[in-house]
């Protein structure tokens, strides 16, 4: 079968920064399905050669340490460019012909090669074609309709074997609200079956996010203590040091809730709190994730007022493309509850912001404090030694690992106790660099595994959680409601005070496990 990735939005940032470098690395590792072609589609007039030259320099720029010239010279032969306007149906018809010709030539070449080696295998006929929408989200629905009208989405089988496979990868954001997501799902389903649709959330391709599945479901020791009986609360933080920079105009239409919570943070939440699926396959995993989303306690305006904090970094209104009176939140902290047996009344805190003190994405499982301390200090026999609660920290990025904090005795004659750590760092255990999220996701889409992609009901359930908060914030937007914070810290003071008022404290350390393998203490 010939494998073709058609990228709509070929001249965009995502293509040069993420997609082509990811494909190139897969090519070097010989992990791409063979034969493989990339066809880039966008309006800019360019020849194949011009696009290849451009991609060469951007791949060096974004992947310098891993660039290898002789591999690139092989890889570039698989790259083609098709200039065209995706708003024109005629363009899709010509693209369809172009893809057919590409397939015909590749099949012919392959057949000749195989005949020469006397291993001709006619069952490998056909095309596995994946369309990648890396275009402005407002063009998603029409592009999908054009693909349908041009007859580019039909699949076929021969002797019960698929010979024509057609899939579509849709980048985030998938809608900007529940109603727009529903509409986009409907338009998509007019053309594609749900199992042909791969909604990308690149957090799901991150190695450490996948390791949460392993931690929870490949070990027996964590499961018995992964519930309300032992866990006091959970903190999920995705902080970025970067400010919005040149993305001001986009950010004004999104804000932190749509940009980070509806997708990435809720994905981390579902994987951390879902019930064990009976199998690691797309349906079982996604069924469990949807159940969690549907169990999140609904939020009234009063609840939102008391349980959410919004902030904006101090110079956000001066960024290019930003309204000088903007009340868009660049920081948010939200407390929510999952109303089921496992998580009854366990507060779950989600937090994300731009312009923070460092980049760190981490999940903190804060265990309950020991119910009673038996230890007394030799020197002060009347005072009991205060015991600290255990804490399991899963660091997703920038350096990846897991750290478990527990009390241990400090050597000496005194009964002195201290928090110590058991640490697992990916960098200590594996010499290879962790693969970029897009590598895994692209391969999964080609092989037809949708476990790490969002399903239609999952996306809608996530919007059902975010929509009421967003509506409430829009209605009550004012400079008083949104707390200003200086760049380079952990968000507004109000967020720290809000936690303190609940008898809790944010886990503010970055990074906890650093990439040199050295570890900072777990406080
Ligand atoms: C994107 C958001 O989805 O994720 C960006 O649009 C954000 O605003 C980015 O910076 C964060 O991704 P990562 O992988 O760097 O944590």
């Amino acid at each position: 079968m010939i494998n073709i990735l058609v990228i709509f939005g070929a001249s965009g940032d995502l293509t040069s920064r993420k997609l082509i470098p990811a494909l190139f690395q897969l090519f070097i590792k010989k992990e791409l399905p063979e034969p493989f072609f990339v066809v880039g589609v966008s309006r800019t007039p360019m020849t194949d050669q011009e696009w290849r030259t451009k991609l060469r320099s951007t791949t060096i720029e974004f992947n310098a340490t891993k660039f290898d010239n002789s591999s690139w010279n092989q890889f570039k032969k698989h790259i083609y460019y098709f200039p065209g306007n995706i708003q024109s149906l005629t363009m899709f018809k010509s693209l369809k012909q172009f893809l057919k010709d590409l397939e015909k030539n590749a099949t012919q070449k392959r057949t000749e090669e195989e005949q020469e080696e006397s291993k001709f295998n006619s069952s490998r006929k056909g095309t596995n074609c994946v369309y990648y929408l890396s275009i402005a989200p407002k063009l998603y629905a029409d592009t999908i309709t054009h693909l349908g009208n041009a007859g580019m989405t039909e699949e076929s089988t021969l002797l019960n074997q698929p010979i024509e496979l057609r899939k579509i990868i849709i980048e985030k954001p998938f809608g900007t609200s529940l109603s727009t997501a529903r509409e986009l799902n409907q338009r998509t389903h007019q053309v594609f079956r749900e199992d042909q649709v791969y909604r990308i959330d690149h957090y799901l391709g991150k190695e450490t996010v996948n390791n949460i599945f392993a931690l929870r479901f490949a070990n027996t020791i964590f499961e018995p203590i992964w519930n309300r009986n032992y866990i006091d609360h959970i903190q999920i933080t995705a902080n970025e040091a970067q400010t919005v920079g040149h993305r001001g105009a986009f950010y004004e239409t999104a804000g932190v809730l749509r940009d980070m919570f509806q997708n990435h943070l809720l994905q981390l939440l579902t994987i951390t709190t879902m019930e064990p699926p009976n199998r690691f396959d797309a349906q079982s995993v996604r069924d469990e994730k949807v159940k969690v989303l549907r169990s999140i306690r609904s939020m009234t305006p009063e609840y939102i007022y008391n349980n959410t904090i919004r902030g904006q970094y101090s110079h956000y209104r001066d960024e290019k493309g930003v309204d000088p009176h903007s009340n868009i939140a660049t920081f948010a902290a939200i407390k929510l509850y999952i109303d089921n047996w496992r998580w009854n009344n366990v507060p779950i805190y989600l937090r994300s912001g731009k312009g923070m003190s460092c980049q760190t994405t981490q999940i903190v499982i804060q265990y309950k404090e020991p119910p009673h301390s038996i230890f007394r200090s030799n020197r002060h026999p009347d005072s009991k030694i205060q015991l600290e609660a255990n804490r399991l920290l899963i660091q997703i990025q920038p350096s990846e690992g897991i750290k478990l904090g527990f009390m241990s005795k400090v050597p000496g004659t005194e009964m002195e106790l201290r928090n110590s750590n058991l640490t697992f760092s990916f960098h200590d255990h594996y010499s290879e660099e962790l693969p970029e999220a897009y590598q895994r996701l692209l391969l999964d889409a080609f092989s037809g595994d949708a476990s790490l992609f969002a399903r239609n009901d999952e996306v809608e359930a996530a919007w059902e959680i975010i929509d009421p908060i967003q509506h409430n914030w829009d209605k009550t937007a004012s400079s008083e409601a949104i707390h200003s914070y200086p760049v380079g810290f952990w968000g507004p003071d109000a967020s720290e005070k809000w936690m303190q008022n609940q008898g809790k404290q944010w886990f503010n350390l970055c990074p906890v496990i650093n990439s040199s393998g050295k570890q900072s203490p777990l406080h």
Side-chain angles (χ1 to χ4, degrees):
M1 214 176 232
I2 313 295
N3 300 279
I4 307 180
L5 179 69
V6 182
I7 306 176
F8 294 104
S11 54
D13 228 30
L14 182 79
T15 306
S16 52
R17 267 179 195 273
K18 298 285 183 192
L19 302 183
I20 297 295
L23 292 168
F24 181 44
Q25 288 313 310
L26 290 170
F27 177 80
I28 292 176
K29 291 189 274 181
K30 300 196 182 346
E31 288 181 16
L32 282 178
E34 284 282 335
F36 190 89
F37 299 97
V38 181
V39 177
V41 182
S42 78
R43 272 220 305 230
T44 321
M46 256 189 295
T47 62
D48 291 338
Q49 198 44 48
E50 280 166 339
W51 197 42
R52 290 171 183 177
T53 309
K54 224 172 145 207
L55 290 178
R56 182 180 183 278
S57 53
T58 48
T59 306
I60 294 174
E61 185 185 347
F62 300 123
N63 229 321
T65 53
K66 295 183 218 145
F67 192 82
D68 165 56
N69 204 35
S70 69
S71 302
W72 178 265
N73 287 338
Q74 292 305 314
F75 177 65
K76 72 176 186 188
K77 295 180 194 156
H78 301 251
I79 300 179
Y80 294 87
Y81 185 75
F82 189 88
N85 178 358
I86 52 165
Q87 283 165 295
S88 137
L89 178 60
T90 326
M91 187 291 283
F92 282 85
K93 291 184 177 157
S94 337
L95 175 63
K96 183 181 177 188
Q97 190 53 49
F98 177 84
L99 296 176
K100 260 197 186 145
D101 294 343
L102 184 64
E103 180 192 340
K104 204 166 128 201
N105 294 340
T107 310
Q108 201 174 339
K109 186 161 172 261
R110 202 169 189 220
T111 311
E112 281 163 16
E113 281 167 8
E114 287 179 339
Q115 272 169 347
E116 247 169 52
E117 295 168 28
S118 325
K119 57 174 191 186
F120 177 66
N121 182 351
S122 62
S123 70
R124 289 202 259 142
K125 259 173 75 94
T127 326
N128 183 11
C129 190
V130 177
Y131 305 115
Y132 199 118
L133 298 191
S134 171
I135 50 180
K138 62 175 193 261
L139 301 174
Y140 287 171
D142 288 348
T143 306
I144 290 168
T145 305
H146 281 328
L147 282 168
N149 289 343
M152 296 172 75
T153 60
E154 285 141 25
E155 299 195 308
S156 60
T157 53
L158 180 69
L159 302 171
N160 284 336
Q161 291 294 318
I163 52 163
E164 300 296 337
L165 287 172
R166 301 288 177 264
K167 298 160 193 161
I168 185 149
I169 303 182
I170 306 177
E171 260 298 327
K172 77 167 263 271
F174 196 87
T176 52
S177 63
L178 177 58
S179 61
T180 52
R182 272 194 185 136
E183 198 184 315
L184 184 54
N185 272 331
Q186 277 163 9
R187 292 275 304 269
T188 308
H189 289 157
Q190 284 167 5
V191 174
F192 290 99
R193 295 184 316 273
E194 177 58 25
D195 64 292
Q196 294 174 283
V197 184
Y198 294 74
R199 295 174 193 78
I200 249 183
D201 181 319
H202 75 279
Y203 268 54
L204 290 177
K206 288 185 193 276
E207 210 50 32
T208 20
V209 173
N210 281 289
N211 194 43
I212 305 173
F213 287 111
L215 179 81
R216 291 196 57 203
F217 305 130
N219 296 293
T220 48
I221 57 167
F222 298 109
E223 179 55 22
I225 55 166
W226 207 266
N227 57 48
R228 69 180 186 286
N229 297 325
Y230 295 91
I231 295 176
D232 180 74
H233 73 275
I234 298 177
Q235 297 181 16
I236 302 180
T237 297
N239 280 349
E240 294 175 274
Q242 276 183 349
T243 56
V244 300
H246 68 278
R247 295 171 78 220
F250 153 76
Y251 205 81
E252 280 286 278
T253 64
V256 67
L257 281 187
R258 292 190 178 102
D259 192 40
M260 294 294 289
F261 281 68
Q262 188 274 339
N263 33 68
H264 311 324
L265 273 107
L266 286 181
Q267 286 295 348
L268 295 180
L269 168 96
T270 52
I271 297 172
T272 308
T273 57
M274 68 197 261
E275 294 302 313
N278 70 339
R279 277 194 271 166
F280 193 67
D281 65 24
Q283 174 158 351
S284 316
V285 170
R286 299 190 298 179
D287 282 353
E288 293 304 336
K289 284 163 71 191
V290 171
K291 273 195 223 163
V292 172
L293 293 172
R294 295 212 171 121
S295 308
I296 291 178
R297 193 176 295 173
S298 52
M299 299 184 206
T300 60
E302 194 190 349
Y303 181 96
I304 295 168
Y305 179 77
N306 290 319
N307 294 289
T308 66
I309 298 281
R310 51 190 140 159
Q312 188 184 76
Y313 64 82
S314 48
H315 69 268
Y316 174 70
R317 293 173 186 179
D318 303 328
E319 301 274 22
K320 195 165 167 253
V322 169
D323 174 353
H325 305 288
S326 173
N327 284 318
I328 289 291
T330 59
F331 169 95
I334 294 174
K335 175 165 84 168
L336 46 81
Y337 289 97
I338 299 172
D339 284 336
N340 63 18
W341 274 49
R342 186 187 286 270
W343 298 115
N344 186 42
N345 283 336
V346 177
I348 303 189
Y349 297 92
L350 306 182
R351 172 176 65 156
S352 178
K354 298 230 185 252
M356 307 295 280
S357 61
C358 60
Q359 185 211 9
T360 183
T361 303
Q362 61 198 15
I363 300 169
V364 175
I365 313 287
Q366 180 70 56
Y367 283 91
K368 291 186 175 171
E369 285 182 3
H372 166 70
S373 174
I374 62 167
F375 301 104
R376 287 170 200 278
S377 150
N378 295 358
R379 290 199 199 104
H380 307 282
D382 293 339
S383 62
K384 282 189 184 169
I385 295 175
Q386 191 67 35
L387 302 180
E388 275 182 49
N390 300 116
R391 181 184 284 149
L392 178 70
L393 180 117
I394 303 168
Q395 191 160 297
I396 310 287
Q397 56 187 18
S399 43
E400 297 82 2
I402 294 171
K403 192 168 228 179
L404 177 65
F406 62 96
M407 298 302 284
S408 67
K409 184 180 176 309
V410 178
T413 50
E414 180 73 1
M415 192 61 193
E416 195 190 334
L417 301 177
R418 186 181 294 165
N419 209 333
S420 309
N421 305 298
L422 284 172
T423 306
F424 163 77
S425 150
F426 272 88
H427 295 275
D428 290 349
H429 286 77
Y430 305 103
S431 51
E432 270 179 43
E433 221 174 283
L434 296 181
E436 250 282 315
Y438 280 94
Q439 293 184 27
R440 165 81 195 257
L441 296 174
L442 287 166
L443 282 189
D444 281 1
F446 269 95
S447 66
D449 181 354
S451 314
L452 300 179
F453 293 84
R455 204 167 59 188
N456 55 339
D457 51 349
E458 192 178 347
V459 171
E460 291 180 16
W463 278 119
E464 274 178 57
I465 297 157
I466 297 303
D467 255 13
I469 311 176
Q470 188 69 60
H471 287 159
N472 181 280
W473 281 12
D474 290 345
K475 251 172 52 190
T476 57
S478 70
S479 295
E480 291 73 50
I482 184 157
H483 304 276
S484 176
Y485 61 92
V487 168
F489 293 88
W490 287 87
D493 286 345
S495 147
E496 304 296 324
K497 286 195 192 118
W498 176 67
M499 281 300 253
Q500 281 159 19
N501 291 342
Q502 300 169 63
K504 315 240 181 289
Q505 212 184 351
W506 284 119
F507 181 78
N508 285 349
L509 262 193
C510 54
V512 182
I513 303 163
N514 55 47
S515 44
S516 67
K518 290 194 197 111
Q519 294 137 24
S520 39
L522 182 59
H523 295 300

